[in-house]
Amino acid sequence: MKVVVLYGGQSQEHQVSCVSAAGVVQELAGMADLSLTLVGITLEGRWFLQDQAEQLRRAREEGTLGITPDPRALLGLRPGEGIVDAEGTLLAADCVFPVLHGAYGEDGTVQGLLEMCHLPCVGSGVTGSALGMDKIRAKQIWEQRGLPVVPYITVNDRSLDGRSVGGCTAGAARDAVERIAGTFGFPVFVKPNAAGSSVGITRVEAPEGLAAALERAFRVDGTVLIEQALAVREIETAVLGNQDPRTFPPGEVIPSHQFYDYEAKYTDPEGAALKIPADLEPALAQRIRDISREAFCAVDAAGLARVDCFLQRETGEVYLNEINTLPGFTPISMYPKMVQAGGVTYAELLRELISLALERARHRS
Ligand code: ADP
Ligand code: MG
Ligand code: MG
């Protein structure tokens, strides 16, 4: 079995991907029946074949992978065939594991490229990835299925009178303030529609803060959603499988910051506590697992996803927040930890993901 691991990538989550991939490749490198190829994708989007020994050393010593952009190791893609090296020789690959987060990794684009090269790919395909990354469209599908989502409104940068985003959100902000007043009121969360790791997200307490938050979000995406800010517990569920996926006992993220922001996720070691399993009544835990499973199937996700729910403190209501089709994947990340707590080791999880990718590719062809 020849497995290609893709990491890095063109999104704001490039560094996070390098850390996730360090965990994955250290584990895969220890599997005798498996040969591993490492492909680093630079921020500019170029693919470079990496020296495995060098990267494994970095993974062990620094806990992350790096990317050496040696022009002789530049790779290309040949539709209908696969990944080729600088000489045009096809790289042997039975399965590709995109350990990528965010744009051009988690959003269906790389999945489409791989599909055109007939390469089985771990995780969701084009549709599931694209919908999972698109917070608004995922919500629309979930709402249609009667699944509970947090109240929201959307703001498009086309509503900014065609002017450039920077410095011109005053009109759009005034308009949004009115719409918020007419619906759920402040405080709110302002989020770029397609992003992750809390990049571009601001909690806004009062109308004065909205323009700056919109501007920040529009720097990441041309479509922004504004949600009612709820006082919540954050409950996450690991989903694993294709058509008939299983779920694991949910975990809880307890941020020490005002919300689970980028720093709490990655730079502040005390930014959040993870509690696995979450302390929940069994019936409630089951309901959250059922919602997560339905949310996964509704957007056509495959392989793996972490479905994040909110449990409203006052009312006990469950809301779907979002689905992450390529969640953080270091051995200490929430997804692998919840699966491990459910009795599946990190190594077994990686093997299962690869076989799910092959299964999905068989069904397609
Ligand atoms: P990302 O895809 O970047 O993780 P999320 O939608 O999960 O974006 O938002 C990041 C974090 O912001 C959440 O984990 C939570 O802490 C906080 N948050 C987001 N939306 C809300 C909301 N409507 N009410 C309360 N907290 C929220
Ligand atoms: Mg996300
Ligand atoms: Mg999130």
Side-chain angles (χ1 to χ4, degrees):
M1 171 71 59
K2 299 178 184 70
V3 177
V4 176
V5 171
L6 298 180
Y7 67 93
Q10 295 179 78
S11 80
Q12 308 223 25
E13 294 168 87
H14 179 97
Q15 302 300 344
V16 182
S17 155
C18 292
V19 177
S20 285
V24 171
V25 303
Q26 283 184 93
E27 193 65 46
L28 292 178
M31 297 181 185
D33 56 332
L34 205 145
S35 93
L36 192 58
T37 302
L38 303 187
V39 175
I41 303 178
T42 63
L43 274 166
E44 298 74 39
R46 303 213 293 166
W47 296 29
F48 291 97
L49 185 64
Q50 298 298 302
D51 181 76
Q52 205 180 122
E54 182 194 327
Q55 294 307 331
L56 281 171
R57 182 194 53 75
R58 279 200 70 169
R60 268 193 309 274
E61 290 171 8
E62 299 164 38
T64 184
L65 299 184
I67 297 174
T68 308
D70 180 348
R72 289 163 306 177
L74 185 65
L75 300 173
L77 288 158
R78 208 187 280 147
E81 295 189 45
I83 305 171
V84 290
D85 69 13
E87 269 90 56
T89 310
L90 210 56
L91 226 66
D94 298 309
C95 180
V96 177
F97 196 148
V99 190
L100 300 165
H101 307 302
Y104 303 113
E106 200 168 346
D107 61 357
T109 51
V110 80
Q111 289 75 10
L113 276 179
L114 295 171
E115 215 159 279
M116 290 193 72
C117 295
H118 306 310
L119 288 167
C121 166
V122 166
S124 296
V126 173
T127 308
S129 302
L131 288 173
M133 189 75 194
D134 189 322
K135 289 185 160 68
I136 293 167
R137 285 188 175 81
K139 276 175 187 281
Q140 288 170 341
I141 289 170
W142 292 334
E143 283 180 293
Q144 215 172 42
R145 300 258 177 141
L147 293 167
V149 303
V150 182
Y152 68 101
I153 59 172
T154 69
V155 189
N156 207 289
D157 64 3
R158 281 192 294 275
S159 56
L160 304 182
D161 307 332
R163 288 175 291 173
S164 69
V165 170
C168 80
T169 47
R174 265 198 307 277
D175 185 52
V177 165
E178 266 172 43
R179 290 167 66 202
I180 292 167
T183 48
F184 37 77
F186 284 85
V188 297
F189 270 85
V190 178
K191 311 179 182 181
N193 181 44
S197 293
S198 301
V199 171
I201 296 185
T202 314
R203 183 187 154 100
V204 181
E205 303 299 329
E208 308 80 80
L210 199 68
L214 282 174
E215 209 172 301
R216 192 163 166 223
F218 277 129
R219 252 179 256 140
V220 182
D221 192 356
T223 303
V224 166
L225 63 161
I226 302 176
E227 279 179 13
Q228 178 176 21
L230 302 172
V232 293
R233 288 173 66 191
E234 301 195 41
I235 310 293
E236 307 192 334
T237 304
V239 186
L240 177 63
N242 287 339
Q243 252 87 316
D244 186 19
R246 55 201 164 116
T247 60
F248 292 82
E252 179 166 7
V253 174
I254 307 164
S256 63
H257 298 202
Q258 194 187 28
F259 71 97
Y260 199 24
D261 58 9
Y262 186 89
E263 288 67 35
K265 285 176 179 172
Y266 305 113
T267 60
D268 176 359
E270 259 112 63
L274 308 183
K275 186 155 184 350
I276 302 168
D279 189 6
L280 299 169
E281 291 290 328
L284 180 57
Q286 191 55 51
R287 176 165 146 69
I288 291 172
R289 289 170 72 163
D290 292 344
I291 289 174
S292 301
R293 192 177 182 283
E294 270 193 68
F296 180 99
C297 296
V299 298
D300 204 15
L304 76 162
R306 201 190 69 224
V307 178
D308 298 347
C309 287
F310 290 147
L311 182 60
Q312 195 173 17
R313 288 180 187 279
E314 243 172 47
T315 61
E317 282 301 317
V318 177
Y319 292 95
L320 260 169
N321 175 34
E322 61 152 354
I323 183 167
N324 296 287
T325 52
L326 284 171
F329 212 84
T330 71
I332 58 157
S333 295
M334 199 64 172
Y335 183 91
K337 278 177 82 171
M338 291 190 289
V339 172
Q340 280 164 279
V344 179
T345 67
Y346 192 61
E348 286 165 350
L349 169 60
L350 294 177
R351 284 191 186 279
E352 185 161 348
L353 288 173
I354 291 166
S355 63
L356 286 166
L358 299 178
E359 180 194 285
R360 203 167 58 81
R362 272 197 305 276
H363 280 276
R364 230 186 11 242
S365 57

